[in-house]
Amino acid sequence: MTAMPPQQPDTQAPSARDDATTTEQREGKQVPDGAPQQSSRPATALRRVLITGATGEIGGALARAYAARGTTLILTGRKQRKLDAIAGECRALGAEVECTVLNLCDEETLFTWLDEVCAQGVPDIAIANAGMNTDIGPQGNGERWEDARRLLQTNVVGTFGMAHHLAMAMKARGSGQLVLLSSLAAWHGLALTPSYSGSKAAVKAYGEGLRSWLKPFGVGVTVVMPGYVTSPMCEAMPGPKPFEMPAEQAARRILKGAARNRARISFPFPLNFGCWWLSVLPAGISQRLLGWFNYTH
């Protein structure tokens, strides 16, 4: 359950082939059932991978995981210096990189940028990773509405807007994949982070709906539900952080699952299993369990 403070909106690493747009797909060879159909672009065309929130720990790790010759990375973030540093690392790994500092809360700017990106070529993979968190505070006094509102604009409106815009472009082309970052917090709302939990539940449900709608058109949609991933975001989040994992490990899991066009990528297993039970048990029992594990205040 990744988190970000209010002031900021297993395996071996897969090879460059380990993604939804493989050489076999481009050459028209048989691919597994459920994999998104690919466009008839020339085999020499660069694979285009778009990642928002690239200056976050998971976003940066994903950028490095996808960086390879034959790949164009389209990266956005809100910290120019860090974005430039990540771009340099990815170029050293052989990728071509396009960087844009972007505020996803500005819909007009977001849609204009997406139109410009698509004019150069609709992304083959688009990862909506940008997000933020807020919490009820150390004394349990509650979230500030200004913070909660900005969180919803970033996590929900920005993510939905980007996904919708690219879904229409991918649908028209007949290929592509959307990867939406939700959280294990989507299984059951947490008292410590109610707005964050609600926003990630919205992303989960939206991604599931998009997947069913877009499947007949050759477009895949994957919902990612990570647990605690080491980062300043995670450190700022109150409460226990069991089974915390490095961002690089999380990125490898996401890349492998997305390559297989999995409907859901949720990890780590023990925490996912426990959170899933919270969603199916009677709410009163789930909330009592969360209290026992100090997830109240």
Side-chain angles (χ1 to χ4, degrees):
M1 287 163 277
T2 54
M4 179 178 283
Q7 64 269 25
Q8 308 175 52
D10 276 317
T11 62
Q12 291 181 307
S15 68
R17 289 169 48 88
D18 194 8
D19 58 75
T21 309
T22 64
T23 301
E24 287 85 356
Q25 288 170 316
R26 287 196 297 267
E27 293 178 352
K29 297 180 182 179
Q30 185 175 2
V31 296
D33 291 342
Q37 301 172 11
Q38 301 301 315
S39 67
S40 56
R41 310 186 296 159
T44 55
L46 296 180
R47 173 185 57 175
R48 292 171 63 77
V49 179
L50 184 153
I51 303 173
T52 66
T55 52
E57 295 302 310
I58 294 179
L62 282 168
R64 290 186 290 271
Y66 274 105
R69 293 190 182 279
T71 298
T72 294
L73 293 173
I74 305 158
L75 308 179
T76 75
R78 298 202 299 175
K79 302 173 184 176
Q80 183 73 66
R81 184 174 298 178
K82 189 168 184 180
L83 191 61
D84 290 342
I86 292 169
E89 295 178 71
C90 293
R91 290 186 181 110
L93 292 169
E96 295 190 11
V97 184
E98 302 171 8
C99 293
T100 303
V101 175
L102 191 69
N103 179 5
L104 296 180
C105 294
D106 185 338
E107 290 184 40
E108 183 176 353
T109 300
L110 171 63
F111 294 154
T112 298
W113 173 71
L114 288 173
D115 286 339
E116 292 171 353
V117 167
C118 290
Q120 299 299 315
V122 178
D124 300 290
I125 306 168
I127 304 176
N129 170 71
M132 61 171 289
N133 191 16
T134 184
D135 59 71
I136 61 173
Q139 305 303 318
N141 293 326
E143 301 170 311
R144 295 193 322 138
W145 174 243
E146 293 82 359
D147 295 333
R149 180 179 177 181
R150 188 156 56 92
L151 178 149
L152 294 171
Q153 186 69 31
T154 301
N155 294 9
V156 179
V157 178
T159 297
F160 283 25
M162 174 186 137
H164 174 79
H165 215 77
L166 292 177
M168 300 302 287
M170 291 177 177
K171 175 177 175 288
R173 186 182 63 183
S175 67
Q177 184 166 24
L178 296 169
V179 180
L180 309 184
L181 267 288
S182 178
S183 166
L184 291 184
W187 286 126
H188 186 92
L190 300 178
L192 295 171
T193 55
S195 293
Y196 179 80
S197 299
S199 71
K200 293 305 184 179
V203 170
K204 173 182 175 292
Y206 184 66
E208 291 165 349
L210 281 184
R211 182 179 176 89
S212 297
W213 168 52
L214 292 170
K215 183 178 179 179
F217 302 101
V219 179
V221 181
T222 295
V223 174
V224 181
M225 300 175 67
Y228 296 101
V229 177
T230 302
S231 65
M233 295 167 56
C234 181
E235 184 179 350
M237 186 175 182
K241 302 174 181 67
F243 306 104
E244 184 177 332
M245 70 170 57
E248 291 75 12
Q249 183 179 351
R252 289 196 296 269
R253 293 195 181 202
I254 294 168
L255 192 151
K256 288 183 66 178
R260 297 167 183 167
N261 188 30
R262 289 183 55 184
R264 181 184 299 146
I265 305 169
S266 49
F267 58 86
F269 173 77
L271 190 58
N272 177 57
F273 186 66
C275 291
W276 177 81
W277 271 108
L278 292 176
S279 72
V280 297
L281 288 170
I285 295 176
S286 296
Q287 289 161 7
R288 186 178 304 171
L289 289 171
L290 287 168
W292 289 346
F293 288 104
N294 297 318
Y295 281 101
T296 51
H297 60 271

